[in-house]
Amino acid sequence: MMNYFEFYGIAETFHPDAAMLKKQFYALSKKYHPDFYANDEDEKQQEILELSTLNNKAYHTLSDPNRVVDYILRAHELVSEGAKPQLPADFLMEMMDINERLMEIEDEQQLADITAEVLAIEGDMNDELLTLTQDYTELDDTAKESRLNDVANIYYRQKYLLRIKESLDTFAARL
């Protein structure tokens, strides 16, 4: 399968330039529009359809910051379906504490306090992720590999935190 960054002719980055992506997307959409190949052989039409689909998927992925992280980590085989990541013990203890407090919520104020705490943790993770990904393209291969492992750690912690946020939503609906 074609690498989306290669398809767009850009370096692998967690922060692709949005204007450049859009420009490339429209240029390739025009170039690979199936209507322009309606009179060509079936094989050529199929090739163009596949390139058009690839263009749509590439733009959809690279224009969404969360999808870019997922895409890069999967490309480097650091994320996979059903993976059981080793999360830091202190993070797991903090999440366990929040989960226990969630089970004991009695009023909206307690829910608001826990929600604020979870949002603060999420904000810290987002800040850490931004710091780790900002200069990624300037790193050598060894440093990139190390950095990708750090990004994967945050990715898995964010996934775990997402489940906590979903629980918060469930509790909010009950109050």
Side-chain angles (χ1 to χ4, degrees), residues 64-131:
D64 181 311
N66 293 323
R67 286 191 179 109
V68 170
V69 170
D70 184 74
Y71 179 76
I72 290 174
L73 292 176
R74 285 180 190 281
H76 291 274
E77 299 178 355
L78 293 170
V79 169
S80 61
E81 297 303 319
K84 301 283 187 213
Q86 189 68 32
L87 295 171
D90 60 335
F91 174 77
L92 291 172
M93 292 298 291
E94 187 175 21
M95 294 303 104
M96 190 169 68
D97 176 58
I98 289 172
N99 269 321
E100 287 174 4
R101 290 181 10 231
L102 269 174
M103 300 302 161
E104 298 168 358
I105 287 180
E106 295 177 4
D107 60 39
E108 289 183 18
Q109 183 58 51
Q110 289 174 320
L111 178 64
D113 292 344
I114 294 172
T115 300
E117 184 178 342
V118 168
L119 292 176
I121 293 168
E122 181 181 42
D124 290 346
M125 276 191 238
N126 289 338
D127 292 346
E128 187 180 354
L129 185 61
L130 181 60
T131 300

Side-chain angles (χ1 to χ4, degrees), residues 1 16-17 19 29-30 39 52 54 77 92-93 97 111 116 119 126 137 148 154 158 165:
M1 183 170 165
D17 179 85
S29 292
K30 184 176 180 181
N39 295 327
S52 178
L54 177 63
E77 299 178 355
L92 291 172
M93 292 298 291
D97 176 58
L111 178 64
L119 292 176
N126 289 338
T137 55
L148 285 170
I154 293 172
Q158 286 177 324
K165 290 175 67 178

Side-chain angles (χ1 to χ4, degrees), residues 3-30 54-68 71-72:
N3 178 300
Y4 294 162
F5 293 104
E6 291 174 8
F7 185 67
Y8 276 171
I10 60 175
E12 182 178 88
T13 177
F14 287 95
H15 306 283
D17 179 85
M20 187 282 310
L21 279 179
K22 189 177 279 191
K23 181 179 178 184
Q24 191 71 342
F25 171 72
Y26 286 127
L28 292 174
S29 292
K30 184 176 180 181
L54 177 63
N55 185 39
N56 287 322
K57 288 180 178 179
Y59 182 73
H60 184 70
T61 298
L62 298 181
S63 62
D64 181 311
N66 293 323
R67 286 191 179 109
V68 170
Y71 179 76
I72 290 174

